[in-house]
Amino acid sequence: MSRYHAMKEVPACAGYKEGDVLFLCGELFGRGYANGIVDEARAKGMTIIGATVGRRDADGTLRPLNAEELATAEAGLGGTIINIPLEAGFDMEPGKDGIAPVDRFKGVKPDDWASVKLDQAELEYSKQRGTERFCNNLAAVVAELEKMIPAGSKLLVVHTMAGGIPRARVFMPILNKLFKGQGDRFLSSEAFWNSDMGKLCDASFNEVTADTFRYLIDATAGLRKNHDTHYAAYGYHGTGVIIDGVITWQSYTPYLQGWAKIRLEDIAIEAWEKGIKATVYNCPEILTNSSALFLGVENSLYPLMGSLRAEGVQSVVDECQALLREGTTVDDLLEIANTYLTSELVTSTRDFESWPQHNKPEQQEYMLNTSAELISMNADQKDIVCAVLSRAVFQGVGSLMFNSSWDPQAPVFWLNHDVIAKTLAKG
């Protein structure tokens, strides 16, 4: 586990102050990881500046936000948004033949995924066009950003871009089957990943999740000359959670974005070697709207209650207990989660060096059944323990990333349950 580098201690409070700037490269949609670091910056009186992915009109044209959209987005951010579209990826960029990748699936049914053949040269052309558009717009965003940063102020650049599932309708039923299918509905992630549709996902994930970080670091080289500039990005590469009483690395399977997340780490390591303070923070599993596709990912969130209890953060544990069905306790959830995490079906694919792993029928069925069992222990299926724990993770991760970024010590950190509980205990 040569790359594995867990943050063990809570970093000292960051020295950011009023006049310093946080630039969020990405867009906030609802509550998610990025809210935590934005809240920290706001508490320090920093100026918060954000970006937007823009919007697509009905004819597919990418445009800036209109006045109403901009007002809503700025209210959600609590800062100013530079209104130049920073949509990443290439799925809607026409190829040489005028056809965009999303339009190459017209008439394709979900069950046809293995037989789909895509012209790789056309996809590469679309990819180059998408990269060119993104980098041109990013240069324009950075030019505006430069005008907004006071002389002598520090700059924290936060990369939040992730995902990249092509927006052709046929993908979601396939991916739902891949991540949630059992029995006859099981779909091998390895078989899909090796298909032309899987290879398109791979290229798209790399471009959106990872390569945008490199483009961002390159585009802001001029800012580094005039401002003390640090970079933070959100990664995922498994998490250390309590298993049989010991913090142990584990991961959700199958995490197809994993290869792109490793590429994201590589970019930070390359930057670090050039003297650029860029750090990827690998964050724990959570359950949000965007992670709902990965049902079962939250099975390893429950042990956080054990870490919180160990650090005396009883208020969050009590809040979780209050949401459970009568006669059910937090200890019941912890026991089921531990049984799951120690099962041979789960441990047989737990290998850091060969991460990410592909799914297997029995492993996926067990994961999904455990997920359903744990969620059913909530009194109200719409008000669940995972939401409380996810909010705690957002807060803890936000604090750790923000304070660590003031004087970053490494290009990659794992933010495991123990250090999240420690930072929440400090308030």
Side-chain angles (χ1 to χ4, degrees), residues 309-363:
R309 188 185 270 167
E311 294 295 335
V313 190
Q314 193 59 36
S315 59
V316 177
V317 179
D318 290 345
E319 192 177 349
C320 292
Q321 178 62 58
L323 295 177
L324 299 178
R325 276 190 339 225
E326 192 173 345
T328 302
T329 68
V330 162
D331 287 324
D332 295 333
L333 271 70
L334 289 173
E335 185 178 346
I336 292 168
N338 193 73
T339 299
Y340 167 78
L341 290 164
T342 53
S343 165
E344 192 177 349
L345 287 171
V346 178
T347 60
S348 61
T349 59
R350 185 179 295 155
D351 179 57
F352 183 87
E353 298 302 337
S354 62
W355 187 88
Q357 283 78 31
H358 285 293
N359 62 1
K360 294 180 179 177
E362 301 83 2
Q363 165 263 326

Side-chain angles (χ1 to χ4, degrees), residues 27 55 61 78 88 115 192 197 217 219 243 247 260 278 290 328 340 384 397 412 423:
E27 186 171 346
R55 299 293 182 270
T61 303
S115 60
F192 173 78
M197 290 184 75
I217 291 168
I243 302 176
I247 290 288
S290 60
T328 302
Y340 167 78
I384 61 175
V397 164
V412 185
T423 198

Side-chain angles (χ1 to χ4, degrees), residues 236-258:
Y236 174 73
H237 195 150
T239 308
V241 309
I242 293 177
I243 302 176
D244 282 345
V246 179
I247 290 288
T248 305
W249 180 88
Q250 56 73 53
S251 170
Y252 167 81
T253 298
Y255 190 67
L256 293 183
Q257 284 93 333

Side-chain angles (χ1 to χ4, degrees), residues 134-154:
F134 181 85
C135 289
N136 287 340
N137 285 4
L138 180 58
V141 167
V142 172
E144 291 302 311
L145 176 63
E146 193 162 14
K147 300 172 191 172
M148 302 165 77
I149 306 173
S153 63
K154 293 184 182 292

Side-chain angles (χ1 to χ4, degrees), residues 6 36 59 70 100 158 198 203 222 266 278 298 302 354 376:
D59 64 358
L70 182 61
V158 180
D266 291 340
E298 80 289 349
Y302 295 98
S354 62
S376 73

Side-chain angles (χ1 to χ4, degrees), residues 91-148:
D91 60 339
M92 296 185 75
E93 292 294 327
K96 280 185 181 177
D97 58 6
I99 302 172
V102 291
D103 295 324
R104 298 186 187 278
F105 299 97
K106 287 185 175 171
V108 174
K109 295 182 172 60
D111 289 341
D112 299 338
W113 63 268
S115 60
V116 169
K117 296 300 173 191
L118 299 169
D119 186 324
Q120 298 305 314
E122 290 289 353
L123 294 180
E124 181 59 29
Y125 182 83
S126 292
K127 180 176 174 294
Q128 290 171 0
R129 287 276 306 273
T131 299
E132 187 179 333
R133 167 184 50 75
F134 181 85
C135 289
N136 287 340
N137 285 4
L138 180 58
V141 167
V142 172
E144 291 302 311
L145 176 63
E146 193 162 14
K147 300 172 191 172
M148 302 165 77

Side-chain angles (χ1 to χ4, degrees), residues 10 15 22 25 31 50 73 85 105 138 176 179 181 192 213 215 224 227-228 248 268 281 293 306 353 361 364 412:
V10 176
L22 179 141
C25 188
R31 292 292 295 180
F105 299 97
L138 180 58
N176 263 305
F179 293 117
F192 173 78
F213 194 37
Y215 306 149
R224 292 196 295 276
H227 303 278
D228 186 5
T248 305
Y281 295 90
L293 178 63
E353 298 302 337
Q364 183 148 307
V412 185

